[in-house]
Amino acid sequence: MNTAGHVSDEEVQIFLDDISTLNLSKKQNDWYQIDVSAILYGCEIQGHEIDKSSGDSLVFLKSSLLFCSPNLGVIRHYPRSLIHCFVEDNRSLKHTIDSGFLFKAELFSVTPDSEQLCWIRKCKSHNDVPFNQSVISGWMKWLNQS
């Protein structure tokens, strides 16, 4: 029998397992495994996204998201109502080479400058666009939940 608690525990564990595959220092990994997991205890995670190069992550909750950065040592909580998504599709424009990307999407927050969320996905190859469109579709689904 699956209860809501078991489901949320499983999603937290999946997130932590994905974090453990990153090339993080022991201190950064411990921060996720101990501190972030304590904050997520009992939360229903609806999805997550990880920047493998920096170790930063987004955790999508029912009506908000968390931005976690082991380098900064911050966990920032953003209500869904403060999050926006912009998409730029430059595939048909001639200045694509100048801008450095074919396709770009950004999740950002309307918050004070030092606390702003700025999560960006950029594609430089046509082959990367479909996967990123799928990710953005997930963002839009989450943003439009009632």
Side-chain angles (χ1 to χ4, degrees):
M1 181 168 120
N2 260 348
T3 65
H6 287 47
V7 171
S8 63
D9 291 344
E10 289 173 21
E11 292 300 321
V12 170
Q13 192 58 54
I14 290 168
F15 168 66
L16 294 173
D17 288 349
D18 286 350
I19 291 295
S20 69
T21 66
L22 301 177
N23 190 21
L24 298 176
S25 70
K26 180 175 177 1
K27 180 180 178 182
Q28 292 172 322
N29 193 50
D30 287 349
W31 179 77
Y32 266 114
Q33 301 298 326
I34 297 166
D35 299 316
V36 175
S37 69
I39 289 170
L40 290 173
Y41 179 77
C43 291
E44 185 179 332
I45 294 178
Q46 295 190 338
H48 67 273
E49 196 167 321
I50 300 169
D51 181 336
K52 293 178 181 180
S53 63
S54 69
D56 292 348
S57 63
L58 290 181
V59 179
F60 294 86
L61 304 172
K62 183 176 180 181
S63 58
S64 61
L65 65 80
L66 293 180
F67 168 75
C68 303
S69 177
N71 293 325
L72 299 174
V74 299
I75 302 169
R76 294 184 179 145
H77 178 258
Y78 299 94
R80 186 172 51 217
S81 62
L82 295 181
I83 305 297
H84 301 277
C85 178
F86 283 177
V87 177
E88 292 180 48
D89 187 347
N90 292 331
R91 290 176 290 177
S92 64
L93 303 177
K94 292 183 181 186
H95 72 274
T96 299
I97 296 170
D98 296 336
S99 66
F101 62 90
L102 294 171
F103 189 85
K104 175 183 168 185
E106 180 179 348
L107 276 182
F108 65 95
S109 65
V110 182
T111 52
D113 189 36
S114 63
E115 300 170 10
Q116 284 183 356
L117 173 69
C118 182
W119 192 265
I120 298 174
R121 289 186 147 285
K122 291 181 184 178
C123 303
K124 293 183 178 184
S125 163
H126 288 281
N127 294 335
D128 295 335
V129 173
F131 174 77
N132 282 288
Q133 287 173 325
S134 175
V135 170
I136 295 160
S137 173
W139 293 355
M140 294 304 293
K141 179 180 176 185
W142 176 80
L143 282 167
N144 286 294
Q145 290 178 20
S146 38

